[in-house]
Amino acid sequence: MRLKLDLHDIFNKGRSIDQALNDIMDEAEQKKAKTVEIIPGKGSGQLKKRVLRFLDRKDVKARYHRVEKDSKNFGRLFVHFKH
């Protein structure tokens, strides 16, 4: 199972971004999803950096296995889980 989170609609709402990321992580754990696709979009790269900083937090890092940056699409990340 793969879940998808598109951040285009909330790109300028800091608290909403963190909440959306937390919610998708919770959902992935509950549904035992193997992969979450996060789409910060291409833009200036600031949103992608924010997402990567979120994923790099110690408390969040413990929840997933690895992060993969899409080599064909700069505006997309994959978060892989081991359940």
Side-chain angles (χ1 to χ4, degrees):
M1 173 190 293
R2 174 183 282 185
L3 300 176
K4 187 174 184 177
L5 174 64
D6 189 341
L7 295 174
H8 283 106
D9 296 339
I10 57 172
F11 71 92
N12 61 351
K13 298 178 184 137
R15 191 173 284 174
S16 297
I17 293 168
D18 288 349
Q19 186 61 51
L21 289 167
N22 274 315
D23 290 348
I24 199 76
M25 297 292 279
D26 291 344
E27 186 179 349
E29 289 175 332
Q30 289 169 358
K31 294 182 176 179
K32 301 218 182 301
K34 295 281 185 207
T35 308
V36 172
E37 178 182 350
I38 301 175
I39 303 171
K42 294 181 181 175
S44 67
Q46 292 305 306
L47 184 53
K48 183 176 181 180
K49 286 180 189 172
R50 182 186 177 116
V51 170
L52 289 171
R53 277 195 306 272
F54 173 87
L55 292 172
D56 205 36
R57 287 185 2 207
K58 198 172 191 175
D59 60 319
V60 176
K61 215 172 198 177
R63 299 174 72 183
Y64 66 87
H65 174 58
R66 68 184 173 93
V67 173
E68 174 188 0
K69 297 174 186 171
D70 190 342
S71 60
K72 295 182 179 92
N73 183 347
F74 177 76
R76 186 163 70 166
L77 299 167
F78 296 104
V79 181
H80 299 277
F81 293 83
K82 272 188 181 176
H83 298 287

